[in-house]
Amino acid sequence: MNRSMRLPRRRAWAHGILALACASVMALSGLPSLDSAEAAPAPLKPGKRCDELFGLKGTPTKSLPQGDASRVKDLWDQYEYVNPGMEFDGLNPTQAELDAAGKDYKKYGHDDPRRIYARFNAQKRWKDFDSYLIKQYIPNQGNDPRGDAFEKKVVKEMGLTGPDWICQKEVYFTDPDTGERHKRVLDAYNKKTREIVEMKSNGKPDGSQKPADKAWAKHRGWSSYKYTFVFGEKQESDARTFMKEMKESAGKDALGRERVRAYNFHSDHKPQAPRGTENGPYRRNDPFLSNGAGKNTGSRGGGNDLIRQSPATPKDLKEQLDRIKANDPQGRMPKGPGGIDFSTLDLRYVGKPVKGEGLNYAFSAKHVDDEYAAGWGGREKAQLISDSFFTWLALDPSTFWVNLNPDEPNRIMDAKFGKTDAGRVLLEADFRLKHDLYGAMDPKTDRGKRFWDTLPRRNGAPCLHALRAWIEPETAVVREQDGGIHILDTPLKLNTVPQDFDADPGKGCDLTEAEKNHADRMLDTWITPYVTEQINNAPQYADLRRVFTARVAAEWIRQQDAKTPTDYREIINSGDVSKWPLRAPNQDWTREGIFNQYVKIFKEGEFTYEWSNGTQTYVYTVGGVDYSKAPKRNLDPVRFRTEHRYKPRTAEFAVGQMTEDADKDGFVMLGGNTSGKSTGGDVPTPTPTPTDEPTDKPTDSPSTPTPSTPPSGGNDGKPTPPAKDPDGDLADTGSDTPVGLIAGIAAALAAAGAALMWWKRRRKVTAG
């Protein structure tokens, strides 16, 4: 036992000599061999006190959070930085200008657009200048300023101050498995508390830094240190995977706590053009919600920037993302349109319309983790919303109707309305409703069979009377606050009533009133809820939902303009929609084309159903459709504060840059301002939501109520008073004293006439 104790001592002495030799080798091997052709490597930079580096002397020092943590929603905010590239976001050179610039960009000054033309000519990945400018050049110019601004903010608010916190310190991390050394610049380092902090203004790690960080996690020499990653945006899938790998490799400390931690420091970045260039000659303006008159030549904002980057197709998106990643392997560039589901884009906020100051606005859209799965079609959807907004302003509300009635081929829709995409969307939705309604009745489905089995009988077979069916808005939810309006929910619903048609080619069922009422109840029980769900959520009605929320916003602008002149006064009721025509690929669309398709189906049928009573099979052929109406109610302030607590702040942030919607998981908001200012219009500081109980009486006069059945003479653009009004309206806004917003918008949306469906028992055959 004693001998066995002595032997290790001798070995230990030998091991000690060997260890000393190895240490000498390691110390020497860290330096390259020196000769006349090589100089010694530059020494590692020691860094600088964080508070001195960022001018934060006197800021209190704080302790870092233990374990993974997230900044509470109450503290989510926004920081600004200057992106010098934004001065040139409107460049649109001719080919001759590009050719003349050559490829040597260094001979041009930084304020000369030819410098950018030459850089474009020198690169090979991007084929067109505009894509290179807005998807590559400008984002790259903002990388360092954005990172610096975010780091300063984190250092200040997380308290990485005092003599022990050092920023931008260079170190080597050696991979114990390969022996490879990686130089790493530590954003913040504290030798006393043995903590390292890495700050990411986006939601993903820098690809070039991963090998060094993985080497740190495996090296025992750093085992007493903790590593905190601070993300300014929601972590992307790549970040989550990397954090998991780091935690598994680094393990836990002596107290059983994770050595690698993630802190979600939610703060949106808001890029600005350099001071003095905000309205320079090279700035870009977009058409969204801007009247384009006078000095207000267009709108600007973070939402516009993303929408502008959105390609037309999934194929284009993939090619765009592949190019960006090839030019940005470290993942430093800010988030682009990839992952934003523009098929869900909708207008959800409109600010106070101050004449000359423009209008703040914000869209909402769903966000998905897979950036390749969504991100195309943004410009098309935003253009539709904007065009519809102006259509609702320019035309008199009495023209907002569509009518697919086979008995009235001369009253399809107003002539001017029929030359706009808003009118097209309404008529096509009316037409689509028929298809979906009849599809829902298919007796081969459990839902359809239950419906048919409960209908009145004639000669043992189910029988249903002719119907008028239309879409109308359900009670909508809005909130007027701080001079603007939040459009929170605009649900739609399906309504049906019995109606006869002169053009009906088939013989309908002769039902009693009691039987008709029973059939209506069965329709409402088995079919209507299913179709209503489609209208509110299915992609084929997304455009209808878009133009409706634009209608709500436009009517609110009408009311504000009636009080005080706005930038939209000359447009309201002008009757001129020439600036917002049918756009490609629908430029050749006609109302008559849709009507003729409808009449053909109405007379010849579209769906053929078979229903059997066990001994006989009945074949039914069906066709037809209609659509109209729209109501709305006030959201009380207590409920608004409870359910939409962060909505005012989110809408304000969205004007400058896309931001996560704190009140609606999985959604983002993005917008701009119509004044053409890079920073947007003046945003009022949110004030506490009043606690007064809302009244039931509107304080503002709504637009002239419109008919919910189309007026006669609609095709010549000169409507006459309607014969009847099926009680369609969009009642109050969400202000404390509700504004009478869009009373009569039912007809305003699509006051349909009697375009409906007929039923015809074609033949009866013996089963088998």
Side-chain angles (χ1 to χ4, degrees), residues 398-720:
S398 64
T399 65
F400 301 155
W401 51 266
V402 298
N403 177 36
L404 281 179
N405 187 335
D407 292 341
E408 298 181 311
N410 295 322
R411 292 201 305 134
I412 304 170
M413 64 193 304
D414 175 78
K416 291 182 178 179
F417 192 42
K419 295 180 180 179
T420 68
D421 276 319
R424 173 185 61 80
V425 167
L426 263 61
L427 194 64
E428 288 183 348
D430 202 7
F431 185 68
R432 179 74 200 189
L433 174 64
K434 171 269 311 159
H435 178 89
D436 292 339
L437 181 59
Y438 296 149
M441 295 179 182
D442 190 343
K444 291 182 180 179
T445 65
D446 180 68
R447 175 187 58 257
K449 186 177 186 306
R450 288 173 179 265
F451 169 68
W452 283 94
D453 288 347
T454 58
L455 290 177
R457 296 287 196 274
R458 286 294 182 271
N459 299 320
C463 194
L464 181 65
H465 54 286
L467 294 172
R468 172 172 179 256
W470 71 99
I471 298 171
E472 66 179 33
E474 184 65 89
T475 301
V477 181
V478 303
R479 179 72 194 170
E480 184 180 357
Q481 183 164 311
D482 301 319
I485 186 171
H486 298 272
I487 306 171
L488 303 172
D489 193 17
T490 52
L492 301 168
K493 65 180 179 180
L494 170 66
N495 276 359
T496 60
V497 295
Q499 184 161 326
D500 295 325
F501 300 97
D502 295 337
D504 188 347
K507 183 176 178 58
C509 298
D510 184 17
L511 300 179
T512 66
E513 286 300 313
E515 288 174 321
K516 289 181 180 180
N517 291 336
H518 171 75
D520 284 343
R521 289 195 298 272
M522 294 304 98
L523 191 71
D524 289 342
T525 299
W526 299 109
I527 305 301
T528 300
Y530 175 78
V531 178
T532 297
E533 194 277 336
Q534 285 189 301
I535 293 168
N536 283 288
N537 298 290
Q540 64 264 32
Y541 292 100
D543 281 346
L544 178 67
R545 299 190 290 269
R546 262 185 280 276
V547 300
F548 175 54
T549 52
R551 173 72 177 99
V552 174
E555 183 62 21
W556 185 77
I557 293 295
R558 280 176 174 270
Q559 294 178 355
Q560 305 315 301
D561 187 82
K563 302 173 187 175
T564 304
T566 69
D567 291 332
Y568 302 98
R569 173 150 292 190
E570 293 183 4
I571 296 173
I572 295 173
N573 291 337
S574 65
D576 182 5
V577 290
S578 58
K579 292 182 180 179
W580 309 286
L582 290 160
R583 299 188 187 274
N586 302 298
Q587 66 271 27
D588 298 324
W589 180 93
T590 65
R591 55 189 177 175
E592 290 78 14
I594 292 292
F595 181 81
N596 291 337
Q597 290 182 56
Y598 170 73
V599 171
K600 185 177 186 297
I601 291 174
F602 187 89
K603 292 182 176 180
E604 299 177 10
E606 180 180 18
F607 287 94
T608 298
Y609 297 149
E610 292 185 358
W611 178 86
S612 175
N613 63 3
T615 59
Q616 292 178 307
T617 299
Y618 296 82
V619 179
Y620 294 81
T621 303
V622 301
V625 74
D626 179 18
Y627 162 55
S628 122
K629 255 191 176 176
K632 173 162 134 314
R633 289 287 178 266
N634 176 50
L635 180 68
D636 102 8
V638 175
R639 182 179 167 192
F640 181 73
R641 285 199 304 271
T642 302
E643 299 179 6
H644 307 279
R645 177 180 178 181
Y646 303 106
K647 195 66 70 179
R649 183 187 68 189
T650 301
E652 178 183 338
F653 289 172
V655 172
Q657 183 66 22
M658 182 181 75
T659 181
E660 186 178 343
D661 190 338
D663 292 302
K664 193 173 184 181
D665 290 341
F667 278 76
V668 295
M669 293 190 76
L670 58 164
N673 175 273
T674 62
S675 69
K677 297 179 180 178
S678 60
T679 57
D682 295 332
V683 180
T685 302
T687 55
T689 307
T691 57
D692 318 23
E693 289 300 318
T695 67
D696 292 325
K697 296 180 180 180
T699 59
D700 294 80
S701 299
S703 293
T704 304
T706 52
S708 70
T709 53
S712 300
N715 281 353
D716 62 8
K718 298 178 181 180
T720 56

